[in-house]
Amino acid sequence: MKARYLDPWKINADLHSHSHRSDGVFAPAQVAQRAHQQGVELWSLTDHDELSGLAEAKSQAQRLGMRFVAGVEVSVTWANQTIHILGLNIDPDNQDLVTGLIQTRSGRTDRAREMSDGLASVGIKNAFEGALRFVRNPHLISRTHFARYLVESGRCSNTSEVFHRYLTEGKPGFVPHRWASLQDAVKWIRAAGGEAVVAHPARYGFNDTESWAFFSEFAEAGGTAVEIVTSNHNRDQVQHYSKVAQQFGLRGSRGSDFHSTEEPHIELGQVAALPDSVVPVWSDWIDE
Ligand code: AMP
Ligand code: MN
Ligand code: MN
Ligand code: MN
């Protein structure tokens, strides 16, 4: 019998979100619950460099009758810049991926201690210990945890301000870090049967030459999609990355990048629809 296909452009897909297994604030099951309440019909949990929330996310999604694909957001260093590559519809038990991610996140604690030293040099004491109070997964301390601590301690009024004043390049709490290579990240995701997707491309501030070089390398490495609709993309950027997808033969993805209800408040499932000109990366995943 021929399978009946849903219209992929009409489904509310949110394929980018975080739990407290990385730098989100909610447990995986709570994120599932919230996604479902917000009308998400196809959901992925994509914690940074981390797979440990996926089993809980999947079983809660199943309980709620919501479609789910396993995901991850891999930190990559390309041309001295940090780039995020989503792996979607992955097998979380794949050994290449599991080992690659262990390696990717292994430097985080030393980096955090150095960040803390940098902050101490401008009079902010014990930031490492402070940030740790916001960490739920000891393998995954991130800049976001420092940001929450600096807001809590009254240094700044919100996390964006913390990033701007303390945690970005050239600022006292910034520590350059080498993450996975683009080729390795895509290779691990492919080995795990997943699609590699460029997360929030507008955030990298590429000029035309860099953009061309990056997307060429990404496609050459086996990457297959780009996140076109996401919380920090405006309408022009959505149009722009739709064209980029067409130029490089990539599919498109959609995701809120939800972390919490505060930072800034981007709700699950509430970003715009993917334009008709792009093929959704999830087209093949939703047959009934
Ligand atoms: P890390 O992986 O430790 O470098 O932390 C990166 C995370 O910091 C991102 O995934 C975001 O959640 C958060 N982040 C980065 N830049 C900003 C910003 N300007 N404002 C708020 N959060 C940010
Ligand atoms: Mn994050
Ligand atoms: Mn990201
Ligand atoms: Mn993210």
Side-chain angles (χ1 to χ4, degrees), residues 81-100:
Q81 276 203 69
T82 299
I83 307 287
H84 287 170
I85 303 293
L86 295 163
L88 296 179
N89 208 7
I90 49 167
D91 167 12
D93 295 324
N94 177 270
Q95 272 313 306
D96 291 352
L97 179 63
V98 168
T99 319

Side-chain angles (χ1 to χ4, degrees), residues 16 18 48 73 257 259:
H16 189 163
H18 297 274
H48 297 285
E73 184 173 14
D257 203 2
H259 284 73

Side-chain angles (χ1 to χ4, degrees), residues 35-93:
H36 183 63
Q37 274 164 4
Q38 295 298 329
V40 173
E41 296 163 296
L42 172 66
W43 173 57
S44 188
L45 183 72
T46 54
D47 276 315
H48 297 285
D49 309 324
E50 178 65 63
L51 306 166
S52 62
L54 293 171
E56 179 184 323
K58 182 179 178 178
S59 61
Q60 184 65 14
Q62 276 172 345
R63 213 166 290 143
L64 296 163
M66 177 172 63
R67 289 179 178 78
F68 174 79
V69 291
V72 65
E73 184 173 14
V74 186
S75 311
V76 157
T77 302
W78 182 82
N80 291 322
Q81 276 203 69
T82 299
I83 307 287
H84 287 170
I85 303 293
L86 295 163
L88 296 179
N89 208 7
I90 49 167
D91 167 12
D93 295 324

Side-chain angles (χ1 to χ4, degrees), residues 88-152:
L88 296 179
N89 208 7
I90 49 167
D91 167 12
D93 295 324
N94 177 270
Q95 272 313 306
D96 291 352
L97 179 63
V98 168
T99 319
L101 293 178
I102 291 172
Q103 190 189 314
T104 305
R105 63 183 180 244
S106 64
R108 279 187 178 270
T109 301
D110 287 345
R111 170 199 191 222
R113 288 193 188 280
E114 277 187 61
M115 288 171 60
S116 187
D117 292 345
L119 292 169
S121 75
V122 292
I124 303 173
K125 303 251 170 9
N126 303 318
F128 181 76
E129 291 72 18
L132 268 189
R133 290 200 286 105
F134 292 84
V135 171
R136 297 291 294 269
N137 171 3
H139 303 296
L140 220 294
I141 182 162
S142 97
R143 285 185 291 164
T144 310
H145 301 112
F146 281 85
R148 291 189 184 131
Y149 170 62
L150 264 61
V151 171
E152 185 211 50

Side-chain angles (χ1 to χ4, degrees), residues 183-202:
Q183 284 73 15
D184 280 349
V186 173
K187 194 175 69 186
W188 302 331
I189 292 165
R190 302 301 289 166
E195 306 294 325
V197 183
V198 182
H200 44 61

